[in-house]
Amino acid sequence: DMQREIGDKKGMGISYNNIAMIYKNQGDIPRAIEYMHNSLKVQEEINDKEGIARSYRNIGIIYMDQENISKAQEYLNKSLKSRIAINDKKGIASSYQSLGLLYLKNEPNKALPYFEKALKIQEEVQEMEGIALTLNHIGFIYEKQNKINVALTYFEKSLKIYEVLKAKFGIATCYYHIANNQYLQGKIREATANAEKSLTLSKSMVVKSFSW
C-alpha cells in the first residue's frame, strides 16, 4: 500500500490499529488481534513508545472483552509499565482505569485500588471527564459492598462534574445509580424522582440519535 511504499511506518502502525478495531467491532477477534500485533511490531521497529503503550492497552482491552483475564492483565500491565517509563500521566491513569475495569464485574475489591490510583492522577492533571467516570466506578464498588451512604457520596460528586461538562450519558448514569441507592435506603419518593430524571435523559438521547 501507499504507506508501505513511502516508508511511513508510523502511519502504518496507526492503520493496522484502525483495521484491528474494525475487526473487533465486527466480532472477528483473531483478525483484530493479528492486526493489533502488526501495529505493535511496526511501533517497536520505530521505537514509538506512546504507540507501543497504546497497542498494549488495546490488545489488553480486546482480551478483556473476551474475558481472558490472564492475557488482559498481561497486556494492560505492559501498557502501564510503558506509560510509567515515559511519564505519560494521562496514559498511566488510563491504564489504571482499564485494570480496574478488568476486575470491576467479578472482583470489585481488587478493582478499587486501581481506580483510586487513577483518580489521584486524574485530579493532578485535572482530567475532569476521567475523574467523573472513576468516581462513578468507585461508587459502584461501594454499592456492591452495601456501603450505600459512601456510594451515594461518590455518585453525587460524579454527577456534579458531569453536569458541568453537560455530559448527558454520564448524568443519566449517575441519576440511575443514585436512584438505586436511595431505593435500597427505602427513600422511595427520592428514588422515583431520580429514576425518572435518568429515564427522561436516556429517552432524549435515543430520540436524538435516531433523528435526521
Side-chain angles (χ1 to χ4, degrees):
D1 61 16
M2 181 70 73
Q3 287 167 331
R4 203 176 274 117
E5 287 176 15
I6 64 174
D8 178 14
K9 289 197 171 183
K10 190 175 181 71
M12 283 171 58
I14 293 168
S15 292
Y16 280 136
N17 180 81
N18 292 341
I19 294 168
M21 298 314 290
I22 291 169
Y23 279 122
K24 175 183 177 289
N25 293 336
Q26 291 176 345
D28 191 341
I29 302 306
R31 294 296 293 277
I33 291 172
E34 176 191 341
Y35 274 91
M36 198 60 74
H37 276 288
N38 287 341
S39 178
L40 178 60
K41 184 179 178 182
V42 172
Q43 288 156 347
E44 287 173 338
E45 286 174 4
I46 61 174
N47 199 29
D48 178 1
K49 291 180 180 179
E50 287 185 10
I52 291 167
R54 186 168 53 250
S55 287
Y56 280 146
R57 179 182 178 275
N58 287 343
I59 293 169
I61 294 295
I62 292 172
Y63 281 123
M64 182 167 67
D65 289 346
Q66 298 302 300
E67 298 189 359
N68 188 333
I69 304 302
S70 61
K71 279 287 186 183
Q73 187 179 40
E74 176 189 344
Y75 281 95
L76 291 175
N77 275 315
K78 282 182 177 181
S79 178
L80 175 61
K81 187 176 178 180
S82 298
R83 284 169 162 169
I84 289 172
I86 59 175
N87 196 32
D88 173 11
K89 287 196 172 183
K90 286 188 177 181
I92 294 167
S94 176
S95 290
Y96 280 135
Q97 181 90 262
S98 297
L99 283 161
L101 288 170
L102 179 63
Y103 298 110
L104 184 61
K105 183 179 177 182
N106 298 315
E107 298 179 273
N109 290 341
K110 278 189 178 182
L112 184 57
Y114 290 112
F115 287 131
E116 288 174 337
K117 288 176 182 178
L119 181 61
K120 185 178 179 181
I121 296 169
Q122 287 162 341
E123 288 175 338
E124 282 176 16
V125 299
Q126 286 294 291
E127 188 185 355
M128 302 312 294
E129 192 168 354
I131 292 169
L133 182 61
T134 303
L135 288 169
N136 213 297
H137 291 322
I138 293 173
F140 178 76
I141 291 170
Y142 283 119
E143 179 183 307
K144 286 289 185 183
Q145 294 174 347
N146 205 33
K147 296 178 180 178
I148 304 304
N149 286 329
V150 181
L152 273 168
T153 299
Y154 280 93
F155 290 130
E156 286 165 356
K157 285 180 181 177
S158 178
L159 175 61
K160 285 180 182 178
I161 296 171
Y162 277 131
E163 285 177 334
V164 171
L165 297 173
K166 298 180 180 178
K168 284 189 176 182
F169 180 80
I171 295 169
T173 301
C174 287
Y175 277 133
Y176 168 81
H177 284 295
I178 289 169
N180 188 51
N181 281 269
Q182 288 172 331
Y183 175 79
L184 293 172
Q185 288 182 322
K187 297 178 179 177
I188 306 303
R189 184 180 296 175
E190 294 94 328
T192 301
N194 283 314
E196 286 175 352
K197 287 178 184 177
S198 178
L199 181 60
T200 300
L201 271 172
S202 299
K203 283 181 176 178
S204 73
M205 286 185 287
V206 170
V207 170
K208 188 175 181 181
S209 68
F210 282 100
S211 63
W212 293 92

